[in-house]
Amino acid sequence: MAATMFTTVAAYSDPMEAQLALGLLQAEGIPARLDDIGTAIANWEWRLAIGGIRLRVPEAQAIHARRVLAALEAGEYALVDDEAELRGDRDDGALQPPDRETPSSRIAWAALMLFGIPLPWRRRTGAAKATRRM
């Protein structure tokens, strides 16, 4: 039985970014793994010293994996809504959160931030429901 040789196709300093790339490769049918993920999470200050979190795939699929990762970097996997938000397009008919801010809530927030004193405040009445802008 021949051992499969793995090669590094990318290195990440952010564990979440590494996990996302791993998941994408696995979704594309490429058996991938992350090396040094445990060390990078347990000892975050060592991430750069050890070369980051290495994303490794079988040598036979390295070219395909690099193409998938290049497509990810180019934004080919971006969701349509994310692209619209980046361009500044907003759906004005989208569901908006209720507006509960009042002058007393602003004073309470300022007192907490400046002096570390939590103060009670009143919420705006009648604004407990989400609304749609038209």
Side-chain angles (χ1 to χ4, degrees), residues 1 9 17 23 31 33 46-47 57 62 68-69 90 100 107 109-112 121 123-124 132-133:
M1 183 172 170
V9 292
E17 189 177 354
R33 71 178 196 211
W46 291 4
R47 286 182 191 161
V57 299
V68 169
L69 294 174
R90 290 195 54 175
R100 295 188 178 130
I107 292 169
W109 181 85
L112 181 63
W121 72 88
R123 287 189 174 179
R124 185 174 290 170
R132 291 195 187 274
R133 279 195 273 166

Side-chain angles (χ1 to χ4, degrees):
M1 183 172 170
T4 303
M5 298 295 295
F6 280 77
T7 186
T8 302
V9 292
Y12 299 93
S13 60
D14 181 14
M16 292 303 294
E17 189 177 354
Q19 290 287 347
L20 289 170
L22 173 70
L24 175 61
L25 292 182
Q26 290 175 340
E28 292 286 333
I30 301 170
R33 71 178 196 211
L34 292 174
D35 284 354
D36 300 323
I37 185 80
T39 304
I41 290 173
N43 301 306
W44 60 268
E45 66 276 2
W46 291 4
R47 286 182 191 161
L48 295 177
I50 63 173
I53 302 162
R54 294 176 293 143
L55 180 59
R56 298 174 58 91
V57 299
E59 277 186 17
Q61 295 180 318
I63 294 171
H64 181 67
R66 286 187 178 107
R67 286 184 184 144
V68 169
L69 294 174
L72 175 65
E73 289 294 320
E76 292 181 24
Y77 290 93
L79 299 175
V80 175
D81 292 337
D82 291 343
E83 291 173 356
E85 186 175 321
L86 290 174
R87 286 192 311 267
D89 299 342
R90 290 195 54 175
D91 180 11
D92 287 337
L95 191 62
Q96 301 296 317
D99 181 20
R100 295 188 178 130
E101 193 167 307
T102 62
S104 68
S105 70
R106 289 182 181 181
I107 292 169
W109 181 85
L112 181 63
M113 292 296 113
L114 295 174
F115 307 113
I117 302 171
L119 296 176
W121 72 88
R122 293 180 180 240
R123 287 189 174 179
R124 185 174 290 170
T125 57
K129 295 183 181 177
T131 57
R132 291 195 187 274
R133 279 195 273 166
M134 298 292 172

